[in-house]
Amino acid sequence: MNNFEYVRAEGLDGAARFVAGHHGAKFIGGGTNLVDLMKYNVEKPTALVDLNRLAMRSVTELPYGGLRLGALVTNSEVAYHPVVSAKYPLLSRAILAGASAQLRNKATTGGNLLQRTRCVYFYDTAVPCNKREPGTGCPAKEGINRSMAILGTSVSCIATHPSDMCVALAALGATVQVAGTQGSRSIPFAEFHRLPGDQPQVDTTLAVDEIVTSVDLPAAGFAGHSAYIKVRDRQSYAFALVSVAAGFELADGIITKAGIALGGVAHKPWRNAELERSLLIGKPANRDTYHAFQLALLAGAQGYGENDFKLKIAPVTVVRAMEQAAHEGEQA
Amino acid sequence: MVGKLALEQRKDLAVATTLTVNGNTHTLDVEPWTSLLDLLRERLQLTGSKKGCDHGQCGACTVLVNDVRVNSCLCLAVMHDGDAVTTIEGLGSEGNLSPIQQAFVDHDGYQCGYCTPGQICSAVGMLKEGHAKTEADVREQMSGNVCRCGAYPGIVAAVRHIMATSQTEGAR
């Protein structure tokens, strides 16, 4: 790990100004991913600005019925929060499907959004990687790509976003609140992460000096009908090969609201709200509907060899998650 | 001599850090890149916590920070100024084992013992969290602690024994 300066942030403004004014400075929250990347010399910050003393550690109910998760609330605290468990069970399930208890106890809400890919080439400084060193190439396309993306890839990068929590946040339609030297703004979850394109080194639409202050959940949380299914190599403590977060609101067997997002298949949680409107809303909650939807959602998916199996697993996992969500709460 | 410059540490970047470890308060000048694990082992000679993978994957470094279990290898020590840390050395000692330590002995919860301090600190943290009710819960919530000897059945039995005898308070 390289030498760096340590700064304890006393306020949002000062923290943002420090990072804006110091080349190579980074914010740190829980640090479970950043410190690991620093040990591999993938991240080499000149300074770390510790955000942990800032007042972003509470969960508060919003006036319109939503829930604000402060950026420093740990993944464990969110997963086991009574309001989250009751109103947003999809989020609890997704978080508890990820990492280990120790990591969830340390990792923060904001940091979970900002974790980097676990692509083996990204982690190995002895090999090229366009995400780590733009312009050097991507050996993953013809290499070890079992865990890599099948949707939204580019010539430059086929990495996946590793989060489980973010898949649920995408399905729920959360909003990310951020603050920086240019003021504060709200980012719809679907616009927070980006596809690699020709700039795979840029994971999100966040500016360098912007800090995630909270993640806001909408009033509707699919409390009655949701499911999170994660396909992985081990039963616990493994990243998703394919995961699906599915949430419905139903009226007499007809879908009135839907949120379906996939993890493990793309550079960001994969959701298509347009397809949900055209193929799910107003349709009966049955297997024909789910099948037609997955065909459209996964159209254009492409394998790279080792990850070809995802082309078979993703469709059935989408259908299974939608069935499980629709039937949640029914007597067997 | 080789690589001396590259290895030279910027001592001027050290930050005064106060930690209470197993009830004893220490104030140390700490370089920001020092992990909590390295501080415990190298500065305080508390070598119970183990450096297995040093990447948060094996759980051998698990300690309790303000009673919450974390991977000390992924904690920067300077970020824990003012915090209270409990390591395996703070749970019990030779001839004065805590109930959970005794349960690991009684139920064959280890073979080589390398992962054991982390397993026990993790178990104490899990019992405090209070979300584990069944054997499946214990296995899932202890999955961040890897045992290469495969002593898992004994580890689960030891933890289940403590749960059954409701000695969670005494587990400290």
Side-chain angles (χ1 to χ4, degrees):
Chain A
M1 196 185 300
N2 63 297
N3 289 187
F4 59 89
E5 185 183 353
Y6 172 75
V7 181
R8 206 166 277 146
E10 304 294 340
L12 269 178
D13 288 351
R17 273 202 308 275
F18 185 95
V19 168
H22 290 73
H23 181 72
K26 290 186 84 77
F27 302 114
I28 187 165
T32 53
N33 185 219
L34 179 54
V35 172
D36 190 34
L37 289 166
M38 287 164 64
K39 290 185 181 198
Y40 284 109
N41 286 316
V42 173
E43 296 276 10
K44 290 172 281 190
T46 55
L48 284 184
V49 179
D50 180 359
L51 302 178
N52 282 281
R53 312 273 156 151
L54 302 184
M56 308 190 293
R57 202 170 279 286
S58 58
V59 176
T60 46
E61 300 195 55
L62 294 167
Y64 57 84
L67 194 67
R68 172 161 291 173
L69 310 173
L72 291 170
V73 181
T74 66
N75 292 178
S76 296
E77 288 164 347
V78 174
Y80 292 115
H81 193 281
V83 177
V84 176
S85 302
K87 282 186 68 181
Y88 310 95
L90 177 59
L91 181 58
S92 289
R93 290 186 197 123
I95 292 172
L96 294 176
S100 67
Q102 290 96 315
L103 290 168
R104 294 191 296 263
N105 282 345
K106 190 82 164 66
T108 63
T109 299
N112 190 301
L113 271 56
L114 294 167
Q115 64 180 305
R116 312 296 309 271
T117 185
R118 297 314 197 278
C119 172
V120 290
Y121 298 98
F122 177 69
Y123 262 78
D124 184 350
T125 56
V127 300
C129 168
N130 286 324
K131 184 181 278 296
R132 181 169 29 77
E133 285 182 67
T136 55
C138 173
K141 286 197 298 294
E142 282 146 15
I144 300 166
N145 56 39
R146 177 173 164 75
S147 66
M148 305 293 170
I150 55 170
L151 289 160
T153 56
S154 73
V155 175
S156 304
C157 182
I158 62 169
T160 56
H161 193 263
S163 172
D164 290 292
M165 185 178 96
C166 288
V167 182
L169 292 174
L172 287 164
T175 304
V176 186
Q177 305 292 352
V178 309
T181 55
Q182 306 300 309
S184 54
R185 64 187 177 118
S186 304
I187 307 175
F189 204 80
E191 293 165 26
F192 185 81
H193 296 101
R194 55 184 297 284
L195 292 176
D198 56 6
Q199 283 192 299
Q201 72 276 20
V202 185
D203 290 349
T204 70
T205 53
L206 208 59
V208 169
D209 64 279
E210 280 183 318
I211 298 165
V212 173
T213 56
S214 74
V215 173
D216 294 353
L217 304 177
F222 301 126
H225 295 285
S226 67
Y228 188 74
I229 296 181
K230 180 174 179 179
V231 181
R232 46 184 157 172
D233 282 332
R234 283 194 301 251
Q235 199 174 350
S236 181
Y237 199 12
F239 289 99
L241 296 166
V242 172
S243 71
V244 179
F248 287 129
E249 282 180 20
L250 303 174
D252 298 327
I254 302 296
I255 299 167
T256 57
K257 188 174 168 58
I260 316 292
L262 276 76
V265 297
H267 200 256
K268 60 186 286 188
W270 194 259
R271 182 180 174 190
N272 189 326
E274 187 62 39
L275 286 180
E276 290 167 10
R277 277 190 289 276
S278 60
L279 295 176
L280 295 179
I281 305 303
K283 302 288 191 299
N286 63 30
R287 190 172 266 245
D288 288 345
T289 301
Y290 311 148
H291 182 67
F293 176 73
Q294 69 79 8
L295 278 178
L297 183 65
L298 301 172
Q302 179 195 349
Y304 291 87
E306 286 186 357
N307 70 347
D308 288 350
F309 72 97
K310 291 190 180 186
L311 300 173
K312 292 181 180 172
I313 286 183
V316 294
T317 311
V318 171
V319 171
R320 207 177 112 206
M322 292 171 82
E323 283 192 320
Q324 196 172 308
H327 293 295
E328 190 186 27
E330 286 177 12
Q331 297 296 319
Chain B
M1 301 300 274
V2 178
K4 181 178 183 297
L5 272 179
L7 290 171
E8 198 160 15
Q9 308 252 306
R10 289 275 309 276
K11 297 286 181 194
D12 59 308
L13 295 173
V15 178
T17 304
T18 300
L19 287 162
T20 301
V21 182
N22 301 331
N24 301 313
T25 300
H26 307 266
T27 298
L28 305 159
D29 281 331
V30 180
E31 283 92 29
W33 45 92
T34 308
S35 70
L36 177 59
L37 175 63
D38 282 348
L39 181 138
L40 292 170
R41 290 181 57 86
E42 309 289 336
R43 301 284 298 273
L44 302 181
Q45 281 72 52
L46 293 169
T47 54
S49 307
K50 297 293 186 279
K51 188 186 273 196
C53 70
D54 207 25
H55 291 285
Q57 297 175 0
C58 75
C61 69
T62 303
V63 301
L64 301 160
V65 173
N66 302 332
D67 286 340
V68 175
R69 54 177 166 160
V70 297
N71 301 110
S72 63
C73 74
L74 293 180
C75 297
L76 295 176
V78 290
M79 291 173 66
H80 290 282
D81 184 52
D83 285 349
V85 178
T86 305
T87 69
I88 190 69
E89 290 92 341
L91 293 177
S93 55
E94 201 173 338
N96 184 29
L97 298 183
S98 65
I100 184 80
Q101 288 172 308
Q102 188 61 49
F104 268 67
V105 174
D106 294 342
H107 294 270
D108 284 335
Y110 56 86
Q111 285 183 41
C112 83
Y114 192 82
C115 73
T116 313
Q119 297 278 2
I120 290 176
C121 286
S122 188
V124 171
M126 185 190 68
L127 293 167
K128 282 180 188 299
E129 289 158 15
H131 301 301
K133 309 291 180 212
T134 66
E135 177 170 335
D137 292 343
V138 172
R139 288 179 174 275
E140 167 60 32
Q141 292 175 35
M142 290 288 291
S143 71
N145 293 84
V146 178
C147 171
R148 284 188 63 175
C149 301
Y152 297 111
I155 293 167
V156 173
V159 173
R160 295 276 282 159
H161 172 76
I162 297 295
M163 287 165 70
T165 51
S166 301
Q167 285 183 307
T168 54
E169 294 308 309
R172 280 296 301 276

